[in-house]
Amino acid sequence: MNTLLVGLDAACLPVLEPLFDEGVVPTLQEIFSSGTSGQLESQIPPWTASAWPSLYTGMNPGKHGVFDFLTFDGYEWSVINGSHIRERTLWELLDYHGYSSVVVNTPVTHPCRPFNGALIPGYTAPENPEGYPSGILDDVRDAIGEYKIYPRDPTPKDKAASDRYCELIRMRGDAFRYLVDRFDPDFGFIQFQQTDTVFHERPGDLDTVRDIYVEVDRQLEAIIDAFQPRNVLVVSDHGIGEYEGYDFRVNEYLRRHGFVKTVNGGKGMPTWATIRDSKLMAGIESDSIEPTTGVKLMQLVARAGLTSQRLGAVLRRLGLEEFVTSRVSADVISAGTQQVDFERSIAYMRSRTELGIRINLEGREPAGIVSESEYDSVRRRLIELLRNATAPDGYPVFDEVVPREVYFHGPRDGDAVDIVTIPRNFDQFLSAMLADDVFGEPTEPWNHKRHGVVAAIGANIDTEACLEGAHLFDIAPTVLATFGLQADERMDGRPLPIVEAVGTATYPEVSLTEVSSTNDSNVEERLANLGYIE
């Protein structure tokens, strides 16, 4: 193997350095100390579903086409998948040059496109994806035993949580070693998602974080010992950290300034969290489920003005919120939620992990009410309004509020938000939900930060080179350079100074399959449980 790329979702120096001090992750520590390492600036938005495609294409979302966990067709949504990636991936570029690859657990890779090698999809894939070549997941299971994409329990609360996370990590390592033995690839890419998941499901549980990294280190040691790759790169898509700021309800703020209109007990937005219903968990689509009596009753109550938000405020004051919500199904709560009315609103936040505002533009949105001639003035007013948003501590809510073209450019930038909103220090939790107050305690005490890590060691790596200013977009051209290959001239990144740059080239357009929908309620459920879908 010429180059091994190891993806640690959400890894960052504040998480890794205490583990280095303890000496519990010797393989990772050796790579960081004997090789070269530094911070890796993520993209906007710095979330898994968009950031990993940016890393493995070297391009911004305006080119590859994935901006969030959700994709929108007018006001309708679905969870993104591999068919939404509209640029050539790193392993497809290597295939173009005659090199083979093994890719395990990389997010947003299902359904797979053909290439020279093998791929087992990761995050946003269904539990039993096809993989590539056809039937490869069955072969893996025959060879190593059980292999799962997701944890046995999406929200583990018991003492066995560490074992359940580590079980998945061992599966990744076993599957990767089996596939490398079988395919003898030039390039290997293994990604570990649990290094991120633990912070969403068990915030502050640093003992479990330690267990997860110890197991990752074991698997990495076994891979390196078995295959002796000439070059090893360890990368993350973003960082993670504790949130000490505020929950800022963007749509509530916009409503109070006349941009958002609402509807009670209807089919407005947000309604992203899938119904926690046994039929849905069995894979039956939500449109085929007849609303329960409780849902119908809650809709009637909400239309009369007594919404879930108002009930929640009363329950919080009485100290009963957790007791009641643990006993009332999410579909009933959702049915009573006051929601953004897409059709009557001027602008809104569709999904909090998009990090921005979409304008209800005439001719683009199904019921757009902002004309082309008004677009620029409406956007300027919104930008000024949001730049002036001030948190209760007296500081601005946002570090940046800018037009989308500052961060997104390419043939698919029209799918992006119109205004990008970057929360101050990534310490303010943005929410698309409506509530009685604009500000509150952070919905999640730990969440994503802007800077991850990169470390590299090997025959083609200059360990004396400085990694200051390294960006997520730089990883794909850097990997190509370890093969002596030119980067795609359309990439937004450049090879890091740790490798010898070999210039750029014009590549033919990738042969793309038709975009398909994700019709798997279990995937939606997991994203909702992790807080990515509200």
Side-chain angles (χ1 to χ4, degrees), residues 496-509:
L496 293 168
I498 60 175
V499 293
E500 184 176 346
V502 287
T504 61
T506 302
Y507 287 87
E509 289 188 10

Side-chain angles (χ1 to χ4, degrees), residues 58 63 73 154 183 190 235 262 287 306 400 430 436 468 527:
K63 293 177 181 176
D73 181 9
F183 288 87
I190 182 170
V235 298
T262 63
D287 289 346
L306 189 57
E400 285 187 77
L430 304 187
D436 288 339
E468 184 177 359
L527 293 176

Side-chain angles (χ1 to χ4, degrees), residues 6 73 99 116 157 159 241 277-278 330 333 401 404 450:
V6 181
D73 181 9
Y99 294 104
N116 181 10
K157 301 297 183 184
K159 293 180 181 179
D277 183 281
S278 59
I333 295 173
V401 181
R404 71 173 173 210
R450 185 73 179 272

Side-chain angles (χ1 to χ4, degrees), residues 187-207:
F187 171 64
F189 184 5
I190 182 170
Q191 192 263 14
F192 296 99
Q193 188 66 36
Q194 302 310 308
T195 49
D196 172 89
T197 303
V198 62
F199 288 100
H200 295 289
E201 294 185 342
R202 302 181 70 84
D205 184 355
L206 299 184
D207 288 338

Side-chain angles (χ1 to χ4, degrees), residues 229-295:
R230 297 181 72 242
N231 305 288
V232 178
L233 282 82
V234 177
V235 298
S236 63
D237 56 336
H238 54 74
I240 200 84
E242 197 165 3
Y243 272 39
E244 298 177 348
Y246 300 90
D247 191 331
F248 181 65
R249 290 101 186 211
V250 179
N251 284 327
E252 182 61 38
Y253 184 74
L254 294 179
R255 175 172 69 166
R256 296 184 183 199
H257 288 85
F259 289 94
V260 161
K261 301 296 182 183
T262 63
V263 60
N264 292 347
K267 291 189 176 181
M269 177 281 269
T271 55
W272 307 147
T274 198
I275 298 170
R276 273 68 164 179
D277 183 281
S278 59
K279 293 179 181 178
L280 277 179
M281 293 302 289
I284 299 174
E285 292 306 305
S286 57
D287 289 346
S288 68
I289 299 174
E290 180 68 21
T292 65
T293 301
V295 167

Side-chain angles (χ1 to χ4, degrees), residues 10-28:
C12 55
L13 293 177
V15 172
L16 288 170
E17 286 175 343
L19 301 174
F20 293 161
D21 291 342
E22 287 186 62
V24 296
V25 286
T27 309
L28 281 170

Side-chain angles (χ1 to χ4, degrees), residues 1-7 90-91 94 99-104 106 115-116 118 176 179-180 184-191 220 223 227 229-235 479 482-483:
M1 189 187 300
N2 184 70
T3 302
L4 171 66
L5 181 62
V6 181
L90 186 50
W91 47 96
L94 289 169
Y99 294 104
S100 61
S101 304
V102 161
V103 180
V104 170
T106 301
F115 71 103
N116 181 10
F176 187 79
L179 291 172
V180 172
D184 190 23
D186 304 295
F187 171 64
F189 184 5
I190 182 170
Q191 192 263 14
L220 183 54
I223 289 167
F227 306 113
R230 297 181 72 242
N231 305 288
V232 178
L233 282 82
V234 177
V235 298
V479 170
T482 66
F483 286 85

